[in-house]
Amino acid sequence: MMRNKFIKISIAILLFIISFFVYQYHRTEPVVSLAVSSDGRYVISVHGVKEFFSFQLGQQLVLWDIEKKEKKVLATNAEGFTTAFVPDSHEFMWQDDKNVVHIQNVNGKEILSFHHFPVIGHIISADKDFYLSANKYGQLYKGYGENMVPIYTDGGVGMPMSLSMSKDYFLSTGNAGFPENAPVAETNLTANPINPSESKKSSYDGVTLWDRHTLKPVARLYGNSGKTTGLISPDGKWVVTGGENHAEYMWEIHNLSNRLNLAKIDRGVYQKETGKYDKSQLLPVPNNLKDKQIAFVNTIAIAFLTEKDFIMVGESGDKDGFGEELVRLFTVGDPWIKAYVEIGNDPSISTYSYGKNLSVSSSPKAHILVTGQATGGGINMYKYHPDKMELEKIWVAD
């Protein structure tokens, strides 16, 4: 009798221990970076270092199936800023703690792997012929292995890094400077971006547009200073930036002197010619949203919800229930706010610091937006409805 009771207690304790360790394995720390597949079906994310008692268990790589609402831990040795999907596919990239870059599909099949320097950002073309990466100094390279060639070594774009690409161009953004009397766009560029000397000139730090075919800089885009993020629009016609100095701009790629100042919620559009703000077309917050918080804060991340519609995601609260609940929605080519869409703050999204700019991603084709969470290891997923200009929260996953 006593023996049977002892066996039952032992089995119960063993099951509890197994369940506890399974829970710890699947429990995730807050998102460091994430990416969404082009069709909006999958999300791949890397999470912060997990500590278990006095042990550090590494950074988890997690695959999320939006359709099935499933979560799967794929690895526990991922590096933070290395998630990216191969466009128009279910293949994605990540780097492990041995500096090996993996390209694999969502079914677990490895397509390609190669040893590389530690990356703080990388992107790849749909045919995998163009691989662009940044090292820990923010210097840019094309390719890998014997085929790797330097693009920018005369300085470093800096953190937080964001890279984006179109058919003909790619954009690098990071810590930006704003020289006195700087033009809207500097296109007569003579400085050599390749500088092997230890003395760097930082000739193309900040926001720079590059020719994808020649690998040469096309323009330095001025207006932002400090920590800056930016994207090329999915239609390949515009560059959008925002950051630490509250400046938010759009440049027309085929007419770079055309820089538009995006409207502020409280002031409207700044007119450089007059030094004043124009409120003539400023959209007021609708009555049904007036009780929602919207912050007058710096932009941390930018996300395209369609080929032309995008949101400027500001600095969130670091606790649930705090920070902005609404974000401004714009359309390329127009500086005025088109709508206020509800992103919510319970759970609060992950953009509570500039280092979290890669914790927001989207699929413009599928109208899917995904963010990390400020306090938990989960993600928030949204569906954008272009006809209504509304954002619907479809899954809060932990």
Side-chain angles (χ1 to χ4, degrees):
M1 190 74 168
M2 289 295 293
R3 186 171 179 270
N4 289 340
K5 186 176 182 181
F6 174 77
I7 291 173
K8 289 180 180 179
I9 293 173
S10 299
I11 291 174
I13 292 172
L14 180 61
L15 290 174
F16 173 79
I17 292 172
I18 292 172
S19 299
F20 180 75
F21 275 92
V22 169
Y23 166 75
Q24 288 298 329
Y25 179 78
H26 288 280
R27 179 183 63 83
T28 45
E29 296 296 318
V31 168
V32 177
S33 67
L34 58 77
V36 185
S37 61
S38 296
D39 64 359
R41 170 70 186 272
Y42 295 100
V43 177
I44 191 74
S45 59
V46 172
H47 298 252
V49 174
K50 181 190 287 187
E51 293 187 359
F52 182 52
F53 295 109
S54 59
F55 299 98
Q56 288 192 343
L57 302 182
Q59 293 181 274
Q60 293 163 302
L61 178 75
V62 179
L63 177 68
W64 310 79
D65 186 327
I66 297 178
E67 185 176 294
K68 294 182 178 179
K69 291 184 168 53
E70 293 178 351
K71 167 188 177 181
K72 184 178 182 180
V73 177
L74 301 182
T76 57
N77 62 335
E79 291 299 315
F81 301 104
T82 66
T83 55
F85 265 94
V86 178
D88 302 319
S89 79
H90 288 163
E91 299 171 359
F92 59 88
M93 299 190 296
W94 65 285
Q95 187 176 45
D96 67 25
D97 57 3
K98 304 299 183 186
N99 296 329
V100 175
V101 173
H102 303 268
I103 302 179
Q104 68 181 75
N105 66 23
V106 296
N107 297 317
K109 180 183 178 181
E110 184 150 283
I111 312 300
L112 176 68
S113 66
F114 52 89
H115 194 272
H116 205 44
F117 52 70
V119 304
I120 61 168
H122 57 178
I123 52 178
I124 196 167
S125 60
D127 59 9
K128 304 187 192 69
D129 283 345
F130 190 94
Y131 173 70
L132 175 69
S133 59
N135 65 16
K136 63 182 179 179
Y137 305 108
Q139 298 169 340
L140 303 175
Y141 293 82
K142 178 192 174 186
Y144 52 88
E146 295 180 354
N147 297 318
M148 187 172 72
V149 295
I151 296 174
Y152 178 48
T153 62
D154 187 29
V157 177
M159 292 287 286
M161 163 75 70
S162 55
L163 300 170
S164 64
M165 181 165 56
S166 67
K167 185 181 70 167
D168 296 316
Y169 303 98
F170 64 89
L171 182 75
S172 60
T173 60
N175 285 328
F178 192 4
E180 189 176 355
N181 299 320
V184 166
E186 182 183 4
T187 56
N188 185 23
L189 303 173
T190 58
N192 184 1
I194 311 298
N195 181 2
S197 170
E198 292 185 3
S199 177
K200 305 297 185 183
K201 299 179 182 178
S202 300
S203 51
Y204 300 105
D205 288 8
V207 182
T208 302
L209 186 68
W210 304 78
D211 188 301
R212 180 173 152 181
H213 308 290
T214 66
L215 305 183
K216 300 300 182 184
V218 173
R220 296 194 71 184
L221 306 179
Y222 292 114
N224 299 101
S225 64
K227 298 177 179 66
T228 304
T229 189
L231 289 177
I232 296 176
S233 62
D235 66 4
K237 297 178 180 179
W238 295 85
V239 168
V240 182
T241 66
E244 195 171 14
N245 69 337
H246 290 272
E248 299 166 323
Y249 298 110
M250 271 189 285
W251 284 264
E252 187 178 6
I253 288 180
H254 295 297
N255 180 19
L256 288 167
S257 61
N258 181 23
R259 185 191 71 182
L260 305 179
N261 291 269
L262 300 188
K264 307 294 184 185
I265 182 177
D266 58 333
R267 289 168 288 175
V269 174
Y270 180 72
Q271 303 292 325
K272 186 177 179 180
E273 299 78 11
T274 63
K276 297 180 180 180
Y277 284 87
D278 176 12
K279 292 186 177 182
S280 62
Q281 299 180 55
L282 185 59
L283 183 70
V285 178
N287 290 330
N288 65 318
L289 297 175
K290 282 192 173 178
D291 61 337
K292 305 293 182 180
Q293 298 182 56
I294 183 164
F296 305 95
V297 294
N298 306 327
T299 295
I300 303 294
I302 301 164
F304 274 86
L305 306 181
T306 71
E307 189 175 71
K308 296 184 177 182
D309 292 350
F310 64 93
I311 55 174
M312 306 298 285
V313 184
E315 189 173 355
S316 67
D318 59 0
K319 297 179 182 179
D320 292 344
F322 291 87
E324 64 179 357
E325 298 173 88
L326 304 177
V327 293
R328 292 164 297 145
L329 182 135
F330 295 89
T331 296
V332 292
D334 189 338
W336 295 98
I337 300 167
K338 293 299 180 185
Y340 299 95
V341 296
E342 189 170 358
I343 203 164
N345 62 13
D346 190 15
S348 184
I349 65 172
S350 51
T351 56
Y352 57 83
S353 72
Y354 290 102
K356 293 288 190 175
N357 66 311
L358 298 182
S359 68
V360 176
S361 184
S362 65
S363 164
K365 290 182 180 178
H367 312 320
I368 293 292
L369 171 72
V370 181
T371 76
Q373 297 171 359
T375 58
I379 55 178
N380 297 348
M381 299 188 188
Y382 308 82
K383 176 75 174 182
Y384 176 62
H385 301 283
D387 54 336
K388 301 176 183 178
M389 288 191 167
E390 293 179 355
L391 202 59
E392 176 191 3
K393 189 180 289 184
I394 58 173
W395 188 26
V396 175
D398 56 19

